[in-house]
Amino acid sequence: AGGLAQQAHNEPLGALGFVGGIMAVALASYAAAWLIPSTQRGAPELKIDANIFRSTFKLLRALRAERSMRRLTTVTSLFWLYGSIAMSLMPPLVTHSLHGAESVVTLHLTIFAVAIGAGSGLAAFLLKGRIVLLPAAVGAALVAVASVDLGAAELLRDRSEALAPLGVADYFAQDGALRASIDLGLLALAGGLMIVPSFAAIQAQSPAEQRARTVAAVNVHNSAFMAAGGAGVAFLQAQGVTLAQLFLGMGAVALLSAIWILFAVVKNPILDLLSIIFRSFYRLDVKGLDNLEKAGPNPIIALNHVSFLDAAAILSVLPKDPVFAIDHGIAQRWWVRPFLRFTRAIPLDPTKPLGTRTLVNAVKAGEALVIFPEGRLTVTGTLMKVYDGAGLIAEKSGALIVPVKIDGPEATIFSRLTREQARRRFFPKFTLTMQEPVRLAVGEELKGKARRMAAGAALYQIMSDLIFRTAKKDETIFEAVVRAADKHGFSRIALEDPLTGALTYQKILIGARVLGEKIAKIGEAGDCVGVMLPNANAAGVAFLAVASAGRVPAMINFTAGAANILSGCEAARVKTILTSRAFIEKGKLDKLAAALQEHVALVYLEDLRAGVSAFDKLKAFLRFKKPVVARKAEDMAAVLFTSGSEGAPKGVALSHANMLANAAQAAARIDFGRQDKVFNVLPVFHCFGLTIGFMLPLISGVPVYFYPSPLHYRIVPEMIYGTNATIFFGTDTFLAGYARSAHAYDFRSIRYVVAGAEPVKQSTRDVWSEKFGIRILEGYGVTETAPVLALNTPMFNQFGTVGRVMPGVEVKLESVPGVEEGGRLLVRGPNVMMGYLKADKPGVLQPPAEGWHDTGDIVTIDAQGFVTIKGRAKRFAKIGGEMVSLAA
């Protein structure tokens, strides 16, 4: 604007317009200054020295007294020096050498200003909130490159004179003009890279009570460099030094300054480079960094290991260089050795205790230690075996452990997961989540190998807790499904059944949105709507549709009989049940439907589908990622009904957070992923079938194959063989039935068989082991805990028990008179229900007292944390003075 005003000063009102513009800018600046939030005085007792010469020299002396501040100030001053020289050389370069008119000079001024802004923005992008000084060295080097190129081009330029100054179009038509403009723009952009990090570092390192005076002193210092630069250029020009020589000289000085900045100002170029790469390109987000400070000066930082980038990622965020415990085999690889020169790494070899002892001593000496307890990159996508040696280091050193979960690198080419296991992305977002520091506790009575194993098990518990606690649970089930679809691909198959075939995530969500629009007309948001459907794609879509509509799916057990169903409907105030005519007909449930219709309305999917228009489908396609009615994580997500064996059926109200927490707990203990497929025969009206058989795989990118009846003992094994399923859930009764009917090769693809709901007999274990070579993992749960409470896993499995308690669950045992070993199990945790809905108080939520749910089961818990079910408290009787289990 200034350049244009200068050209127009001879025109009518030109000078007046110029003055008016200056005044307008001044007033706008004044107004903006008043909008700056006021701050407290950094040094309220400070007295201002009226002698500006004395105070200025005092400020400069204080600034230059500290080496770090002196060097940073020099970097900022070099920026102003190069800028002032470039601005003084630009007009003669454009007008004399390249014959440009004043308008071309104005254009170059604009390019210069915009380029400085772009360079500053680029610097901010590279820094991402963390002060790294490597861009300043790169900026100085680019100033050198641009200046040398300008000088070289000037030396080779044809000196023929033009008859008149050239306009913009003619100017850029000549050789060398565009090159000069690019060089000047690059020089200005490089200046932005220099000034932003260096000036940010000055402000960050200056004490609050001194900061304003520091900035003032830096400005004086900058002004001195600008004045010296201007005077120096004028002097050299007076001595006959050409433009080419001046540019080449500035390039040489800039190159020397780049080298000086790299070695004298940048503390750790490798660390700065890592920070730039991870924060700028992988958008590294660090959560809970303050937990590192809580752990003291020598924390043990324990990470899950998903890629070769993990060590570099954690190094880029730590305030001081740690010691790395690195796998001995990895340390020997040729491409790893160069990186080890820039870090302090100690190889950890399970066969040699010396490395372990060295690491323990390093932590005791006050060093921070980074360790990967798994010892290797995951090939499953989740937590693998945790080595005892890592636990022993934590136990022997006595240091606090900071568990850290890294997410994102598994999607890069630097992981060992296949494309089927992890969807590849060029620059996925990385997240480092640091949890509260914990101390690894091992019983004092344990010695030798037992102590070492206990330390490893304790560290595994910490790491599995980490996986659970960092899982996203503060969302609704619908939102979790959308997030899974976005992560794994909307075109990925998510549900299958024998009748309707395969459904992708996109088809499921579109169907849920279309159906949700219709269901939203039933009742009010938060009302319970019954869902009475078999295991099929329709059940999954209907569940999500009811949730999308802001209603609560009440899962109707159609085998319970009309009386029990109506009692449950009364408790949950269910006035409408969503079902299917085809299901009623094929399931021969006409009498049940007739009995239910006398008290509740039956809405058929076929009728809702018939009312869907092309416009409805279009609307759903455009908005399928959003629910019809927004809900919150703490809102009710589902109601399931107890069997009524101990009185009238009760409605168990589970929130979205309850169900997602239980899914996260299960995912923290068993490795499964995109390469798996779940075969689900357990009905979705039971919590096991709903949460673990349907919801958990759906939000994890694992396809689910629905089969409507678990009683088809001959067909189910054949279907598993045909679908190549890898995960199968069942009960002892069903598993025994399948084993009798199945061919020895039918379960060849199965990786996991998880059993619950009833104790697994030894005979069932034996036949599955001998006939199919499969180990049954037994678990335990109740509807009120969404449902899984304990689970045996491939890493921690003990026959006769139901496994170890899930992460995040608190347990306590209440003594039972006459029972000497164990007690009545009470649990509390994020997966424990919101409360009961009972027929005596319809629609009134009755939460568990202080969050503790009484399971009614008598259990024992051994030293390793394995839970053994002894029986139900209500199924014990005192006979001859002894408490005897009636079941036994």
Side-chain angles (χ1 to χ4, degrees):
L4 293 174
Q6 185 177 356
Q7 295 173 43
H9 74 279
N10 290 325
E11 297 179 13
L13 300 179
L16 187 61
F18 176 78
V19 172
I22 290 291
M23 293 298 293
V25 171
L27 288 171
S29 303
Y30 183 72
W34 277 106
L35 295 175
I36 298 173
S38 61
T39 57
Q40 295 181 350
R41 297 181 184 180
E45 72 288 347
L46 180 67
K47 294 182 179 179
I48 306 300
D49 188 348
N51 187 326
I52 61 171
F53 297 103
R54 182 172 59 210
S55 63
T56 298
F57 283 113
K58 188 176 178 181
L59 290 175
L60 289 171
R61 189 165 56 248
L63 177 69
R64 298 191 64 80
E66 188 180 344
R67 186 174 67 172
S68 175
M69 294 296 288
R70 183 169 68 246
R71 290 178 174 179
L72 288 169
T73 301
T74 303
V75 177
T76 64
S77 297
L78 284 170
F79 158 75
W80 289 105
L81 173 67
Y82 301 145
S84 64
I85 294 174
M87 292 294 283
S88 63
L89 296 181
M90 184 197 301
L93 174 68
V94 173
T95 57
H96 296 161
S97 294
L98 293 168
H99 320 299
E102 287 294 329
S103 59
V104 180
V105 175
T106 299
L107 176 62
H108 280 79
L109 287 171
T110 305
I111 292 172
F112 204 83
V114 170
I116 288 179
S120 301
L122 177 60
F125 169 75
L126 296 176
L127 267 61
K128 285 289 181 183
R130 184 181 173 97
I131 295 173
V132 290
L133 293 166
L134 184 61
V138 174
L142 290 176
V143 169
V145 170
S147 300
V148 169
D149 192 61
L150 282 168
E154 184 65 16
L155 280 176
L156 301 174
R157 183 164 291 119
D158 182 10
R159 301 297 171 186
S160 60
E161 292 291 333
L163 297 175
L166 301 175
V168 173
D170 293 332
Y171 174 84
F172 282 106
Q174 63 180 326
D175 291 337
L178 182 61
R179 176 180 176 180
S181 300
I182 292 173
D183 282 338
L184 288 168
L186 178 63
L187 196 152
L189 184 142
L193 288 176
M194 287 183 68
I195 189 63
V196 170
S198 55
F199 201 75
I202 287 171
Q203 294 180 76
Q205 294 182 21
S206 181
E209 67 277 4
Q210 182 69 29
R211 189 171 295 138
R213 283 172 284 165
T214 298
V215 172
V218 169
N219 286 335
V220 173
H221 200 277
N222 295 342
S223 300
F225 268 64
M226 284 191 286
V233 169
F235 174 76
L236 292 173
Q237 285 178 321
Q239 302 303 311
V241 177
T242 65
L243 274 176
Q245 293 169 334
L246 287 170
F247 275 120
L248 289 172
M250 185 170 77
V253 173
L255 180 61
L256 291 173
S257 69
I259 297 170
W260 172 76
I261 293 170
L262 184 65
F263 290 100
V265 180
V266 181
K267 293 181 180 179
N268 191 328
I270 296 297
L271 201 59
D272 281 8
L273 180 62
L274 291 177
S275 179
I276 289 170
I277 291 172
F278 287 116
R279 289 178 180 271
S280 303
F281 298 99
Y282 290 108
R283 306 180 305 285
L284 177 62
D285 183 19
V286 184
K287 300 176 181 178
L289 191 59
D290 56 327
N291 288 323
L292 203 58
E293 299 175 7
K294 297 177 185 177
N298 62 333
I300 295 177
I301 301 156
L303 294 94
N304 63 316
H305 207 2
V306 298
S307 79
F308 290 109
L309 300 176
D310 300 346
I314 189 67
L315 180 63
S316 72
V317 303
L318 294 178
K320 68 174 185 177
D321 291 346
V323 173
F324 280 89
I326 185 169
D327 179 73
H328 176 75
I330 294 291
Q332 300 302 313
R333 299 187 180 181
W334 65 268
W335 54 269
V336 174
R337 289 181 205 165
F339 294 100
L340 297 182
R341 295 177 183 176
F342 299 101
T343 61
R344 293 179 296 163
I346 299 175
L348 189 58
D349 187 349
T351 64
K352 299 177 182 178
L354 183 60
T356 302
R357 192 177 302 121
T358 304
L359 289 168
V360 171
N361 292 334
V363 176
K364 286 183 175 180
E367 299 284 359
L369 172 66
V370 173
I371 194 166
F372 297 96
E374 296 165 272
R376 57 169 292 184
L377 267 64
T378 181
V379 294
T380 64
T382 186
L383 196 65
M384 295 181 67
K385 181 176 74 172
V386 169
Y387 279 93
D388 296 344
L392 195 64
I393 293 169
E395 195 270 326
K396 290 283 188 185
S397 65
L400 287 171
I401 299 172
V402 179
V404 180
K405 169 80 178 300
I406 184 165
D407 280 307
E410 68 276 2
T412 67
I413 59 172
F414 301 101
S415 78
R416 281 186 169 164
L417 300 181
T418 64
R419 291 180 178 273
E420 178 58 29
Q421 289 174 297
R423 188 182 176 203
R424 290 282 186 262
R425 299 186 181 185
F426 284 111
F427 291 105
K429 179 179 173 62
F430 286 9
T431 304
L432 279 169
T433 308
M434 299 185 178
Q435 293 289 289
E436 290 272 351
V438 294
R439 195 176 301 279
L440 191 142
V442 178
E444 293 296 330
E445 71 282 359
L446 297 175
K447 304 295 180 185
K449 183 180 179 181
R451 189 171 189 84
R452 183 185 184 94
M453 291 176 62
L459 184 56
Y460 175 81
Q461 183 70 37
I462 291 171
M463 296 305 293
S464 64
D465 281 352
L466 167 72
I467 302 300
F468 161 65
R469 294 185 189 283
T470 53
K472 188 170 178 60
K473 302 177 285 290
D474 57 339
E475 60 184 347
T476 65
I477 293 171
F478 188 90
E479 290 166 344
V481 174
V482 173
R483 188 164 54 83
D486 185 58
K487 179 180 179 180
H488 300 288
F490 286 94
S491 61
R492 181 174 175 79
I493 292 174
L495 295 179
E496 284 185 82
D497 69 16
L499 293 177
T500 56
L503 292 180
T504 64
Y505 276 104
Q506 182 167 318
K507 286 184 177 180
I508 292 166
L509 290 169
I510 291 173
R513 176 76 195 199
V514 169
L515 197 55
E517 295 277 6
K518 305 297 182 183
I519 297 171
K521 299 173 183 178
I522 300 171
E524 302 291 333
D527 286 353
C528 290
V529 173
V531 176
M532 190 171 73
L533 292 166
N535 269 26
N537 290 344
V541 174
F543 179 87
L544 291 176
V546 175
S548 173
R551 276 59 177 168
V552 180
M555 310 307 291
I556 304 299
N557 180 353
F558 46 82
T559 69
N564 279 337
I565 292 175
L566 290 173
S567 177
C569 288
E570 183 182 355
R573 286 186 172 174
V574 173
K575 298 177 181 178
T576 304
I577 293 178
L578 195 65
T579 187
S580 161
R581 282 197 177 88
F583 169 55
I584 297 295
E585 180 184 342
K586 292 179 181 178
K588 299 179 180 179
L589 301 174
D590 304 83
K591 292 182 179 179
L592 175 64
L596 295 179
Q597 267 185 313
E598 294 180 7
H599 301 276
V600 296
L602 295 186
V603 175
Y604 296 99
L605 288 178
E606 291 87 345
D607 296 340
L608 293 177
R609 190 181 297 118
V612 174
S613 65
F615 182 65
D616 292 333
K617 293 178 182 178
L618 177 62
K619 283 197 305 179
F621 177 76
L622 296 174
R623 305 183 68 183
F624 68 88
K625 295 182 183 180
K626 297 289 183 183
V628 179
V629 178
R631 303 290 284 170
K632 297 178 181 178
E634 59 270 19
D635 289 336
M636 200 180 299
V639 173
L640 296 110
F641 299 98
T642 61
S643 63
S645 60
E646 297 175 357
K650 298 187 291 285
V652 176
L654 299 171
S655 68
H656 295 272
N658 289 153
M659 298 179 73
L660 290 174
N662 200 233
Q665 289 166 332
R669 289 292 172 84
I670 290 189
D671 64 277
F672 60 92
R674 287 165 49 94
Q675 78 281 9
D676 285 305
K677 177 183 279 190
V678 168
F679 194 94
N680 185 16
V681 295
L682 298 179
V684 290
F685 58 69
H686 280 159
C687 206
F688 194 2
L690 179 66
T691 302
I692 305 302
F694 164 62
M695 195 197 72
L696 169 60
L698 187 65
I699 65 174
S700 303
V702 178
V704 178
Y705 192 95
F706 275 130
Y707 191 77
S709 174
L711 301 174
H712 297 169
Y713 292 130
R714 291 185 180 277
I715 298 175
V716 167
E718 188 66 35
M719 295 298 294
I720 291 175
Y721 176 73
T723 58
N724 295 314
T726 61
I727 299 174
F728 185 42
F729 303 114
T731 67
D732 178 78
T733 301
F734 297 149
L735 294 177
Y738 304 139
R740 285 192 301 270
S741 304
H743 186 276
Y745 201 60
D746 281 345
F747 299 128
R748 60 155 200 90
S749 60
I750 292 292
R751 291 203 306 129
Y752 291 133
V753 173
V754 181
E758 61 180 341
V760 179
K761 298 183 184 70
Q762 188 60 45
S763 59
T764 307
R765 292 186 191 279
D766 291 342
V767 71
W768 273 82
S769 177
E770 294 167 8
K771 187 175 182 179
F772 310 115
I774 293 175
R775 172 176 55 175
I776 297 174
L777 300 174
E778 187 174 356
Y780 160 63
V782 293
T783 304
E784 290 84 350
T785 59
V788 185
L789 270 176
L791 184 64
N792 278 293
T793 67
M795 275 184 275
F796 294 95
N797 182 44
Q798 189 170 305
F799 291 151
T801 75
V802 291
R804 303 169 78 191
V805 174
M806 303 302 280
V809 175
E810 298 176 69
V811 300
K812 65 180 180 180
L813 300 182
E814 283 191 351
S815 60
V816 177
V819 176
E820 296 182 2
E821 188 181 5
R824 189 173 181 134
L825 178 64
L826 281 79
V827 294
R828 182 169 66 180
N831 57 319
V832 173
M833 65 175 177
M834 301 174 71
Y836 283 124
L837 295 169
K838 299 181 180 179
D840 58 345
K841 293 182 179 179
V844 178
L845 196 64
Q846 301 179 41
E850 299 180 355
W852 288 98
H853 169 64
D854 180 3
T855 65
D857 291 316
I858 295 177
V859 309
T860 60
I861 303 177
D862 65 16
Q864 286 75 42
F866 286 95
V867 179
T868 303
I869 308 293
K870 295 297 184 181
R872 295 283 293 171
K874 292 183 178 179
R875 294 172 189 163
F876 274 74
K878 183 170 281 191
I879 302 173
E882 296 291 334
M883 291 292 285
V884 177
S885 166
L886 301 182

